[in-house]
Amino acid sequence: MSHSWAARPPHPVLRGLVTRYVGYAQENVTLAVHRGLPSRHVTLVISLEEPIRYAGLGGAGALQSVVGGLHTEPALITQDRVQRGVQLELDPLGARTLLGVTAAELTGRVADLADFGGDLARLPDRLAEAGDWRTRFAILDEVLAARAVEPAAPPPELDRAWRELRRSGGLVRVGELADEVGWSRRHLGERFRAELGLAPKQAARVLRFERAVRLLRTGHRDLAGIAHAAGYYDQAHFSNEWRALAGCSPRTWMAEELPFLQDETKDAAAESVA
């Protein structure tokens, strides 16, 4: 398989709303089905080749550009041998500003990017016409920055709770989180679900899983050590959670996906676009 990757953070005005842009181009892809794993991000993917074929989440189908909400099961993507496109990692608390809806309205499903406004609907054509990743990322900056002029900020308590939960990797207790922001556990849970679509415990579960994924991607192979570092009770707990969230065992995922993802990590770092 031949491939190339490029990545960079967004324009400073979008920091806190978008984590990064990743451009990808692959030929002779041999993995028939890719597992899109749960993460802390609302994911926006724009294909510059054939439509993306999703299964396993609500609203799944063939779409040229897709917005995927937070989820607690794998999003199964049927892969073509040739793939080219751009993926954006959006903070869920930025969904109101960038998409005009809460992340909760996207939870557990995928939606057509064209449903969120003409400027976003035109992105696949504009990005396809651009000659390189630098130009494509500049177009994304332009379109998203225009939407960030009047940000729809969440309550500061909710923003603080989400940042602290992320900082801890999902290890802070919900009661401690509520005490820190000055809300009751019940009120925190209600506001969390209303904005992100997940309860704090569910979000913590995704964050622990995401940390385990990151450790595997960066070369760690000791599953017991990963389980401990990510906050699981033991390796059995880790393996059970992985099966629930990824739809397979850790070792099956490592055999199927890890070679491709290691290449992505290495090449995106090497080919960062300023």
Side-chain angles (χ1 to χ4, degrees):
M1 183 183 76
S2 62
H3 57 265
S4 64
W5 309 85
R8 78 158 168 83
H11 187 280
V13 75
L14 295 168
R15 302 287 164 82
L17 299 173
V18 184
T19 301
R20 65 171 181 164
Y21 307 142
V22 178
Y24 59 90
Q26 303 177 92
E27 296 182 2
N28 299 317
V29 176
T30 57
L31 184 64
V33 177
H34 166 65
R35 300 174 192 270
L37 300 180
S39 80
R40 71 184 64 192
H41 295 109
V42 169
T43 305
L44 193 166
V45 185
I46 300 168
S47 173
L48 304 179
E49 295 288 344
E50 294 300 313
I52 307 162
R53 300 190 300 280
Y54 272 86
L57 295 180
L63 297 169
Q64 198 68 35
S65 49
V66 177
V67 178
L70 301 182
H71 52 104
T72 56
E73 59 183 321
L76 304 180
I77 304 167
T78 302
Q79 300 200 114
D80 296 306
R81 290 188 65 82
V82 176
Q83 299 182 58
R84 190 167 58 102
V86 181
Q87 177 171 313
L88 288 73
E89 298 169 347
L90 312 183
D91 188 281
L93 293 187
R96 279 185 184 269
T97 295
L98 298 178
L99 302 174
V101 299
T102 66
E105 295 173 70
L106 300 167
T107 301
R109 71 181 188 95
V110 295
D112 191 337
L113 180 64
D115 294 340
F116 298 96
D119 53 344
L120 296 178
R122 289 188 291 273
L123 275 176
D125 289 339
R126 293 188 64 187
L127 296 181
E129 292 168 1
D132 53 49
W133 295 121
R134 188 185 304 274
T135 305
R136 293 183 183 112
F137 293 162
I139 291 170
L140 292 173
D141 279 343
E142 171 201 328
V143 171
L144 297 180
R147 287 180 165 245
V149 171
E150 298 182 3
E157 295 89 349
L158 186 60
D159 180 70
R160 183 179 175 186
W162 175 230
R163 284 190 287 109
E164 178 59 21
L165 197 59
R166 295 198 320 265
R167 184 202 62 76
S168 73
L171 298 183
V172 64
R173 294 181 181 276
V174 177
E176 295 174 5
L177 200 60
D179 289 342
E180 182 167 331
V181 302
W183 283 352
S184 69
R185 286 188 56 162
R186 179 177 179 179
H187 186 63
L188 175 64
E190 290 173 347
R191 296 305 301 266
F192 229 87
R193 283 189 293 270
E195 194 72 27
L196 280 82
L198 300 179
K201 280 190 174 182
Q202 291 176 305
R205 184 185 181 204
V206 168
L207 290 167
R208 288 193 299 271
F209 173 76
E210 187 181 52
R211 176 167 173 75
V213 173
R214 187 162 56 249
L215 289 169
L216 279 173
R217 290 180 66 163
T218 53
H220 295 76
R221 295 294 177 270
D222 175 10
L223 296 185
I226 290 173
H228 176 75
Y232 295 98
Y233 298 125
D234 52 29
Q235 187 175 338
H237 180 212
F238 165 61
S239 295
N240 289 337
E241 279 290 272
W242 191 285
R243 287 186 178 90
L245 293 166
C248 65
S249 72
R251 294 196 185 280
T252 295
W253 180 84
M254 290 165 65
E256 291 179 350
E257 302 264 2
L258 195 54
F260 302 100
L261 295 175
Q262 286 176 323
D263 287 341
E264 172 192 347
T265 302
K266 177 183 66 178
D267 292 350
E271 301 179 25
S272 289
V273 176

